[in-house]
Amino acid sequence: MTENLTYRRLSDGEYADLQGRILYEDNHLLIVCKKPGEIVQGDKTGDETLGEKYQAFMAARDAKPGKVFLGVPHRLDRPVSGVTIFAKTSKALERMAAMFRDGQVHKTYWALVCEEPERKEALLENWLGRNEKTNKAYICRGDRPRGEAKLAKLRYRWLGNTQRYSLLEVELMTGRHHQIRCQLAGIGCHIKGDLKYGAPRSNPDGGICLHARMVSFVHPVKKTQVEVLAKLPDSWKGIENLGVLQV
């Protein structure tokens, strides 16, 4: 078998890890579970992206001699974990990107927060601005926000408390920059490990306890229903005692 020189050779451990994180795959889509700290798209750090890892994986697994197409229709922040969708064809990429843009992909997140919310469930609506220098979102006060502020909507539901933290389920209704992190901090519910938005301390792995738990959508090509659930990181302690875990 001729080795594909376009991509680096994965170690046996890396190969097994990437294979074990595949949640769904067909000829059009690849859906995987992202770890905290991995980047979905390239940035100024120059670190290897999750997509590049899976290109190397697919080149090895499928014995592909040339380049492997893997498009990115959406992204998760670097410290966030969970369901991440890649497109294996340009047709799927174009259609999935449009579905994300038009709100046709249902996204549910779990957040482990430092404070229990006053209300067990609520709809949060805020106008969010963005500070480009600090790469941080902020809530605009008043009814008439200035500049390029965008309306952000999410709905959260309290699922229970661990010994030190509260678990929230968040339904994301818009896709703004750092939306969940900013809006939850705005009601005093700082995400565990999220120093940027007011958490008191960092997590050992450098990530934050925000996890893309589930996505559901109509397949862009097959037109069948797709629903994918991602296992929580092992670092989330005490969740198993709340009786809310399926996987």
Side-chain angles (χ1 to χ4, degrees):
M1 183 184 299
T2 303
E3 184 176 354
N4 187 325
L5 300 179
T6 305
Y7 304 101
R8 71 177 180 87
R9 185 171 183 175
L10 300 172
S11 69
D12 291 345
E14 287 177 302
Y15 185 95
D17 173 64
L18 293 168
Q19 186 174 47
R21 288 196 276 150
I22 295 175
L23 304 173
Y24 174 92
E25 185 178 11
D26 60 22
N27 291 333
H28 311 280
L29 300 174
L30 173 69
I31 306 179
V32 305
C33 186
K34 173 187 169 310
K35 294 179 179 179
E38 292 179 319
I39 54 174
V40 176
Q41 290 180 307
D43 61 14
K44 60 185 179 182
T45 66
D47 291 345
E48 184 180 34
T49 69
L50 184 59
E52 288 168 342
K53 292 178 183 179
Y54 273 100
Q55 285 176 313
F57 170 83
M58 292 164 64
R61 183 194 64 184
D62 304 335
K64 288 183 176 291
K67 288 189 175 182
V68 175
F69 181 89
L70 206 59
V72 182
H74 78 124
R75 61 180 291 274
L76 293 181
D77 295 337
R78 185 166 194 159
V80 178
S81 59
V83 180
T84 303
I85 301 173
F86 293 105
K88 294 171 67 175
T89 66
S90 57
K91 177 195 289 187
L93 175 61
E94 180 180 354
R95 293 183 181 180
M96 282 302 306
M99 289 167 63
F100 272 102
R101 187 173 58 248
D102 297 338
Q104 296 175 9
V105 180
H106 180 79
K107 294 161 283 186
T108 302
Y109 289 74
W110 277 12
L112 202 58
V113 299
C114 301
E115 304 87 3
E116 182 176 338
E118 290 186 8
R119 300 170 63 184
K120 298 298 185 186
E121 57 183 290
L123 171 67
L124 302 183
E125 295 188 59
N126 303 104
W127 287 91
L128 298 187
R130 180 175 178 178
N131 186 321
E132 297 288 349
K133 291 183 178 180
T134 61
N135 189 32
K136 188 175 179 181
Y138 60 89
I139 294 175
C140 301
R141 306 301 176 185
D143 297 330
R144 295 184 179 181
R146 299 177 182 178
E148 299 181 358
K150 296 181 178 179
L151 183 61
K153 296 183 181 182
L154 65 79
R155 187 180 300 278
Y156 75 82
R157 181 169 66 97
W158 175 82
L159 296 179
N161 290 336
T162 67
Q163 190 172 2
R164 297 178 59 184
Y165 302 100
S166 292
L167 179 64
L168 305 182
E169 182 175 81
V170 178
E171 178 188 353
L172 195 59
M173 303 166 74
T174 53
R176 310 306 183 201
H177 180 70
H178 291 183
Q179 177 182 339
I180 298 175
R181 302 165 66 181
C182 181
Q183 286 191 281
L184 290 185
I187 61 169
C189 294
H190 304 91
I191 295 173
K192 181 178 181 294
D194 197 359
L195 296 179
K196 183 183 283 281
Y197 287 94
R201 62 186 64 84
S202 61
N203 288 341
D205 63 4
I208 65 175
C209 289
L210 179 61
H211 182 74
R213 176 67 168 160
M214 187 270 289
V215 296
S216 62
F217 56 91
V218 175
H219 195 287
V221 180
K222 297 180 177 180
K223 303 306 178 184
T224 54
Q225 186 69 27
V226 177
E227 183 171 304
V228 178
L229 197 66
K231 182 182 177 181
L232 292 173
D234 293 336
S235 58
W236 287 40
K237 305 298 184 183
I239 304 300
E240 65 277 3
N241 300 324
L242 299 181
V244 294
L245 291 178
Q246 295 169 278
V247 295

